[in-house]
């Protein structure tokens, strides 16, 4: 997952929104760690489960969002997501369902599945919003 994120991070030019889907333990945060490497971000990348949004500076800013604890879209609205999405950085959103109404068109969706052999299946597609 980390290598895939790193490869994608190297290709990004800013303004991308990446929705990360998959069960707990599927590798969403590991993918974001790789994404950060590809964006030349050093230091420790942590899950924003309790802070909701972590901001990292590199070749492009990375906004790592985790909406697992949000209960409804109104909570997401108060976070000022439109400003993050319009800033020219890269937004990686774990558990995006609470904020789908705020996601801009053209978002990329990365769907991770756990396989019985402890491997992962990854599907990357344009998000249907």
């Amino acid at each position: 997952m980390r290598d895939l994120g790193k490869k994608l991070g190297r290709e990004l030019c800013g303004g991308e929104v990446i929705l990360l889907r998959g069960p707990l333990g599927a590798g969403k945060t590991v993918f974001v760690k790789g994404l950060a490497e590809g964006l030349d971000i050093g230091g420790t990348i942590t899950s924003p489960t309790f802070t909701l949004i972590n901001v990292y500076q590199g070749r492009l800013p990375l906004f790592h969002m985790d909406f697992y604890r949000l209960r409804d879209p109104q909570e997401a609205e108060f976070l000022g997501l439109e400003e993050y999405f319009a800033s020219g950085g890269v937004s990686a959103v774990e558990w995006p369902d609470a904020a789908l109404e705020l996601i801009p068109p053209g978002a990329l969706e990365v769907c991770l599945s756990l396989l019985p052999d402890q491997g992962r299946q990854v599907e990357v597609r344009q998000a249907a919003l």
Side-chain angles (χ1 to χ4, degrees), residues 1-2 20 23 25-36 45-49 54 56 64-66 94-95 112:
M1 297 303 354
R2 192 175 194 130
L20 298 163
K28 296 179 293 294
T29 299
V30 173
F31 179 88
V32 175
K33 288 178 181 189
L35 198 64
I45 305 300
T46 60
S47 175
T49 300
N54 289 340
Y56 303 99
H64 183 191
M65 306 172 182
D66 185 329
E94 296 187 41
W95 306 100
L112 309 173

Side-chain angles (χ1 to χ4, degrees), residues 7-119:
K7 287 177 186 177
L8 179 60
R10 288 180 179 150
E11 301 298 319
L12 300 177
C13 57
E16 293 89 357
V17 176
I18 302 166
L19 308 180
L20 298 163
R21 297 188 175 278
L24 288 170
K28 296 179 293 294
T29 299
V30 173
F31 179 88
V32 175
K33 288 178 181 189
L35 198 64
E37 284 182 47
L39 292 170
D40 300 324
I41 296 170
T44 303
I45 305 300
T46 60
S47 175
T49 300
F50 295 101
T51 58
L52 301 180
I53 302 172
N54 289 340
V55 179
Y56 303 99
Q57 297 300 322
R59 179 175 59 81
L60 297 167
L62 172 62
F63 310 113
H64 183 191
M65 306 172 182
D66 185 329
F67 298 151
Y68 183 75
R69 300 200 180 283
L70 294 184
R71 290 170 291 206
D72 60 57
Q74 282 124 351
E75 288 180 320
E77 229 174 293
F78 290 115
L79 296 173
L81 297 180
E82 293 91 348
E83 292 178 33
Y84 288 101
F85 297 149
S87 72
V90 175
S91 299
V93 186
E94 296 187 41
W95 306 100
D97 289 338
L100 287 180
E101 297 170 0
L102 305 172
I103 304 293
L108 186 66
E109 191 169 44
V110 177
C111 301
L112 309 173
S113 301
L114 296 168
L115 299 176
D117 65 357
Q118 297 189 10

